[in-house]
Amino acid sequence: MSSSTASAPGRGGTSPAPSSTPASATAPRAATVKGSRLAFWVFVTPFLVGLVLFTVVPIVWSTGLSFFEARGTLTPTRFVGLGNYTHFLTDDAFTNSLGTFFVYALFIVPVTMAVSLGLAVLVNGLPRFQAFYRSALFLPVACSYVVGSLVWKLALFSGLPSGVANSALGVFGIPPVSWLGSSPYWWIVLISVRLWLQVGFYVVLFLAGLQRIPPVLYEAAMLDGISAGFRRFRYITWPQLRPTVAAVLLLLLVAAFQAFDEFLNLVPTNPSTRPPLVYLYNVALGAQRDFGLGSAGALILTTIMVVVALLQTRFFGFSAAEDRNGTSRRRRGGVQA
């Protein structure tokens, strides 16, 4: 009451003096809950201990072990320096496994992106039963990759004339195909099982992105004559989905690097379809059981994944275009000023 009366202009035309009180002094202070610090550490400590024990310590131990020979034991036995690293960089089997990853990622990343985005747009446009279709599409995500691989191997693509895929081909007079025994048919099996297992997860992500788009943008587009169809998707939906697309692209690349279960269960002995993780599994836990060599390979693979993720974030990241445009505007503004 007194402050408002003092700041009001007087009838004599005297303007109020500017207040010298800083804004931070008048801002309300955040209430401190008694015992909040103790509660914070009670909740955070178990996760922090688990992170240190099961993530930080293994990484540090694996880094040290990569400079040693450790066959059949987790204890370093003989110092080899960078020998494990040079072995991988000159090993044709390891470079071939990286080639397998690139072929696999070349197909699975864009196919998953296109299918999940298309399904999300269709489900988002439904006037009813969106929750049902969302749940139905997400259901395969809860299935184990091992179980999915066995279903694909024993029922759908068994290679027998009684298999589902060969029975469908038989309707058109096409002879049975040995899906897992000949190229390039095994890629159809590997990509289709991964697609079935993971597409529902990305549909949910795209649905979340679609439902964040303000409806006023579509209303403005309708006033401009863009009511529906590809033009509305191109000029409204796709630009608004760019952060979601960047996140999905990064997750798909990481998932492609981590491909393991379907390769190990469907084509375990085929060197032409052996991704890096399966190769490292054979090195560390196969006949060699060389944990030092396997640790070096794991660190090399981790480095490759980090570099790819950084490049993806740099060129297709969450705010790369806005940052570049903002920087350009600031530079132009600085020149004009």
Side-chain angles (χ1 to χ4, degrees), residues 73-207:
T73 178
L74 291 176
T75 304
T77 55
R78 186 173 66 88
F79 182 74
V80 296
L82 297 176
N84 289 332
Y85 292 93
T86 56
H87 171 82
F88 270 105
L89 296 178
T90 57
D91 187 6
D92 292 337
F94 182 68
T95 54
N96 289 336
S97 69
L98 292 178
T100 300
F101 156 73
F102 284 114
V103 172
Y104 181 66
L106 188 64
F107 285 99
I108 193 63
V109 172
V111 171
T112 303
M113 179 83 75
V115 173
S116 57
L117 179 58
L119 290 174
V121 171
L122 289 176
V123 173
N124 191 55
L126 292 175
R128 301 175 61 186
F129 304 116
Q130 285 192 13
F132 169 76
Y133 286 104
R134 185 170 59 242
S135 301
L137 290 170
F138 189 78
L139 196 59
V141 179
C143 182
S144 167
Y145 274 69
V146 176
V147 174
S149 301
L150 292 178
V151 170
W152 250 246
K153 182 177 182 179
L154 300 177
L156 299 183
F157 298 98
S158 63
L160 301 175
S162 59
V164 175
N166 283 336
S167 297
L169 293 179
V171 174
F172 300 98
I174 301 175
V177 175
S178 176
W179 296 98
L180 298 175
S182 57
S183 176
Y185 300 110
W186 54 53
W187 288 113
I188 298 176
V189 184
L190 292 167
I191 291 173
S192 60
V193 65
R194 171 59 74 106
L195 190 67
W196 181 75
L197 287 166
Q198 74 177 7
V199 74
F201 175 73
Y202 298 104
V203 168
V204 173
L205 293 185
F206 277 123
L207 275 173

Side-chain angles (χ1 to χ4, degrees), residues 16-84:
S19 175
S20 59
T21 305
S24 58
T26 60
R29 294 182 179 180
T32 302
V33 179
K34 185 177 181 180
S36 59
R37 183 181 296 275
L38 177 62
F40 172 79
W41 285 111
V42 167
F43 284 104
V44 168
T45 300
F47 298 99
L48 190 61
V49 172
L51 178 68
V52 172
L53 287 180
F54 300 109
T55 302
V56 177
V57 171
I59 290 177
V60 173
W61 187 262
S62 178
T63 303
L65 203 63
S66 66
F67 298 101
F68 292 86
E69 180 182 294
R71 294 182 182 274
T73 178
L74 291 176
T75 304
T77 55
R78 186 173 66 88
F79 182 74
V80 296
L82 297 176
N84 289 332

